[in-house]
Amino acid sequence: MVWLNRVKNAAQWISLYLWLVSGTIIVTINATWLYFANALWQKLGSVVNLTLGQLMTNYYQLLAYLNFPWVPKLVMTDFTDSTSALVHFADVKNLFMLDYVIFIITSVVVYFFWQRLRRDRQLWRLVLPMQTALWVPPLVAVVMAINFDQFFIMFHKILFRNSDWLFDPLLDRIILVLPDTFFGQCFVLAFVLIEWAFIYLLSIGQRALREND
């Protein structure tokens, strides 16, 4: 049936986009080198009277909790968290898990979709979707650059159902070593990665077009 083929085709393209976005998020949230660079450059450890090594240990413990479903409780060697902070980190963990699930499911769909495009010599179909997608990261980056604080607030309001992300530094010292500049750099890294992915897939499609001529 025609409508069923259209739905299947749309689902495959949506899966490709979701796979790229979820994969970008996974790479970005696990870019420990970026946090290390910030900790070193901004001397974040000294803010909470920790060495660089101690600070990184706590950061790895936080990431382990957020990344691994078999780590049920957040325990950091040098930080204790308020109830609201623990609720927020639990919400973040749920988002991480959702992202991993999306990536795994779409990986299967994208694998078979990609095999079909190659088999049917239709990789040229990547051109228009990737050309369109190329405009999205720059537009979002411009919005972010105009007022990052407002962008950051809206980002949290969209993702979280409460205001637990508003940490009190007196109760939750962890926020002192998670500066806005670090999160801003995470967004920039994500934009660069996703834009590179779009360009790479576009180049594959353009090469397929030339080969088919």
Side-chain angles (χ1 to χ4, degrees), residues 51-120:
T51 66
L52 179 60
Q54 289 172 321
L55 180 59
M56 291 306 299
T57 295
N58 285 271
Y59 186 68
Y60 291 136
Q61 290 169 335
L62 174 60
L63 278 187
Y65 168 72
L66 296 176
N67 273 309
F68 304 134
W70 56 85
V71 180
K73 185 178 180 181
L74 175 59
V75 177
M76 291 180 285
T77 305
D78 299 289
F79 295 102
T80 56
D81 296 292
S82 65
T83 301
S84 61
L86 290 174
V87 170
H88 175 65
F89 283 129
D91 289 340
V92 174
K93 182 184 180 76
N94 289 334
L95 290 175
F96 275 34
M97 295 301 102
L98 176 62
D99 187 65
Y100 280 115
V101 169
I102 291 173
F103 181 75
I104 292 170
I105 293 174
T106 56
S107 291
V108 177
V109 177
V110 169
Y111 173 79
F112 289 105
F113 182 42
W114 189 267
Q115 292 301 316
R116 183 170 68 81
L117 290 178
R118 288 185 59 187
R119 183 194 65 220
D120 298 340

